[in-house]
DNA sequence: ATCCCACTTGGAGTTAACTCAAAGTCAAGA
DNA sequence: TCTTGACTTTGAGTTAACTCCAAGTGGGAT
């Protein structure tokens, strides 16, 4: 699969795809004999995985490390597991913060609804 | 309350507190006659609110707009409500993405646990 | 009186994560 | 043959959100 298609499929700009590859966030993609990238199924899986992780806000640096460990083979299973656990816990904590804020926003909005409602009632009374 | 204390209480650097005030993310804080900030209860509430919102990742730009609207008074109740709703929905969506990623990480970690476990068993067998 | 320390301002520097621009190559179609 | 268009590389530019630095001031302790 060529870059244009990959870009469309995963909604990542071509620049971003090149950038990710350049910094080692996805493993190198093979080229045809004129240097054009040809994404394999395996490449696509990486792209999809990285996109998912980035969407959730995992830092690029940690993901680069994961990809690097992966390429070193089975020796790094344990290290990869620990890395994922660490990021999982960070993500979990962040979701906790967000949940608190979401609740706070919800009750704030609720109060705004009431206040705006009362203002309207007042205006209605004046009209009569 | 002086800045050092506010900084400690909310774990925001003094630089960040000044920055927030400079860009209008918190309303202006009164100074004593030698120009030193003196945070009132009301100022502290803003600091705490903004910290909470920022921790959840709400963009500074939206928060500046909220503070601006607030300072314009009751005319802006409706606009403020809409702004909060919009940010709430964005936050909610983001949490959805993160939940998906969290689940994916959890099952990936689970698989790593199994794989690492099997490798250890293999090694144990070799030792016998 | 002098020294220290917590503050002040204005402006420059940093980091993460892209994003864009310039100049070049190659294959296919008119 | 010439052009078009999708790609290539290298390197610079951008954005958000801080973070740091230099130079200055006012008030309290020694």
């Amino acid at each position: 699969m060529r870059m244009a298609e990959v870009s469309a499929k995963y909604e990542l700009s071509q620049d971003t795809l090149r950038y990710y590859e350049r910094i080692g966030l996805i493993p190198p993609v093979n080229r045809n004999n004129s240097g054009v990238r040809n994404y394999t199924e395996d490449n696509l899986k990486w792209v999809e995985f990285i996109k998912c992780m980035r969407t959730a806000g995992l830092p690029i640096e940690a993901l680069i490390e994961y990809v690097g460990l992966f390429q070193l083979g089975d020796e790094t299973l344990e290290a990869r597991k620990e890395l994922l656990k660490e990021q999982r816990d960070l993500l979990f904590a962040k979701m906790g913060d967000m949940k608190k804020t979401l609740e706070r926003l919800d009750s704030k909005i609720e109060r705004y609804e009431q206040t705006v409602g009362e203002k309207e009632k007042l205006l209605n009374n004046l009209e009569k």
Side-chain angles (χ1 to χ4, degrees), chain A:
Chain A
M1 199 182 279
R2 279 206 312 289
M3 231 187 21
E5 213 178 333
V6 179
S7 168
K9 181 162 182 175
Y10 296 104
E11 296 181 285
L12 292 168
S13 77
Q14 304 196 12
D15 269 321
T16 299
L17 284 170
R18 275 185 225 105
Y19 168 66
Y20 280 179
E21 189 179 344
R22 189 166 73 232
I23 66 176
L25 189 49
I26 55 175
V29 176
N30 286 335
R31 323 303 184 84
N32 66 17
N33 40 17
S34 56
V36 174
R37 270 166 265 252
N38 181 22
Y39 289 80
T40 65
E41 266 312 305
D42 199 57
N43 292 144
L44 295 186
K45 275 183 194 150
W46 275 107
V47 170
E48 191 277 332
F49 173 67
I50 291 299
K51 190 201 167 164
C52 175
M53 296 299 130
R54 284 295 306 132
T55 302
L58 270 73
I60 279 189
E61 214 187 312
L63 295 171
I64 288 175
E65 198 185 336
Y66 181 76
V67 175
L69 288 172
F70 194 94
Q71 290 174 318
L72 290 177
D74 281 4
E75 304 304 309
T76 66
L77 279 169
E78 181 70 24
R80 275 183 265 162
K81 192 188 76 185
E82 289 311 315
L83 192 157
L84 292 184
K85 272 187 176 174
E86 205 176 302
Q87 293 302 320
R88 187 223 100 98
D89 290 349
L90 288 171
L91 184 57
F92 187 78
K94 212 164 159 190
M95 284 181 69
D97 288 342
M98 288 167 75
K99 188 154 169 281
K100 263 195 232 157
T101 302
L102 186 69
E103 282 161 9
R104 185 157 175 182
L105 277 174
D106 277 337
S107 69
K108 216 172 175 66
I109 289 166
E110 181 63 26
R111 284 200 301 281
Y112 268 108
E113 304 273 18
Q114 283 172 19
T115 312
V116 172
E118 276 164 28
K119 283 213 88 177
E120 271 162 15
K121 228 163 58 184
L122 266 173
L123 286 176
N124 263 337
N125 285 340
L126 286 176
E127 275 163 20
K128 277 177 202 161

